[in-house]
Amino acid sequence: MAAQIDVFIDSCAWNVLYDHGVDVASEMQAHNIRLAVSPELLIEVNAIPDTKSKLRGFILNNIDGCHEDLIFGFDVPSVTFGQRRWGGFDNGRWATRDERIIHQTEQAMGRSRRPHGLRKHETDAGLAGRAYHSVVLSTAHQAASVPMKLVDKSRSNILIVEDYIVSGQRLGDFIASRIGRLLGASHDAAATRKKKNS
């Protein structure tokens, strides 16, 4: 069986999915893809005000039990548990070269923080780095943000939620129809492992 492919949805895309009443968890049950979440997105979701409690509940219900992708690193002592960005020992993977480059570039952009504690481009940078080995569902506007512009489009997998809405497809079908390279790569890797083990 091919390795699963993670799909990350940014906060702006979640707004669109909510507005259209998409049952994300149900529509993702196909094609060996799974919903994943970054720690930065969790911070943003938990900071959604009570005036938008239905949106917050919609996102939390859909991501309940999904894979949290943590990169190994160390938070500063002042960071509370609910603000953690990094995984620790036995609870995080190594960052890829692309992720390190984008993260370093984002840090150099400045340290201005938003009310929830994240830097201005921090969430976008985390998703931009993940787009090289996973799928990121974003909006057309958000995909034009500074960190997303740093991504090499020929090697990345950023999909636009507005394209999904007009496609009329189920979300899993829409994603699978546009990430043949990733699905093919994971299939090839599984076939290689099977050959080595036989």
Side-chain angles (χ1 to χ4, degrees), residues 44-152:
E44 286 190 350
V45 171
N46 287 319
I48 293 174
D50 290 341
T51 54
K52 296 183 178 180
S53 60
K54 289 184 178 179
L55 169 63
R56 184 177 61 217
F58 169 79
I59 300 173
L60 290 174
N61 285 338
N62 274 286
I63 65 176
D64 182 42
C66 78
H67 171 64
E68 183 180 3
D69 183 54
L70 293 171
I71 295 173
F72 181 85
F74 299 98
D75 284 311
V76 297
S78 61
V79 171
T80 62
F81 180 77
Q83 295 282 311
R84 69 181 182 138
R85 321 288 210 275
W86 309 101
F89 295 106
D90 298 322
N91 188 26
R93 62 174 176 81
W94 295 114
T96 66
R97 178 178 178 274
D98 292 312
E99 286 173 319
R100 290 194 302 271
I101 291 172
I102 290 178
H103 178 69
Q104 289 165 359
T105 304
E106 178 270 324
Q107 283 191 315
M109 291 177 186
R111 297 277 179 170
S112 62
R113 292 187 181 274
R114 296 185 169 180
H116 46 49
L118 295 171
R119 295 184 301 275
K120 182 177 180 181
H121 297 291
E122 193 171 352
T123 302
D124 288 342
L127 292 176
R130 287 174 171 90
Y132 284 105
H133 56 74
S134 301
V135 173
V136 172
L137 186 66
S138 187
T139 62
H141 173 75
Q142 202 66 17
S145 68
V146 176
M148 292 293 194
K149 286 182 178 179
L150 299 173
V151 176
D152 179 351

Side-chain angles (χ1 to χ4, degrees), residues 1-14:
M1 178 180 268
Q4 283 187 311
I5 292 175
D6 289 338
V7 176
F8 296 86
I9 302 176
D10 76 21
S11 54
C12 291
W14 275 114

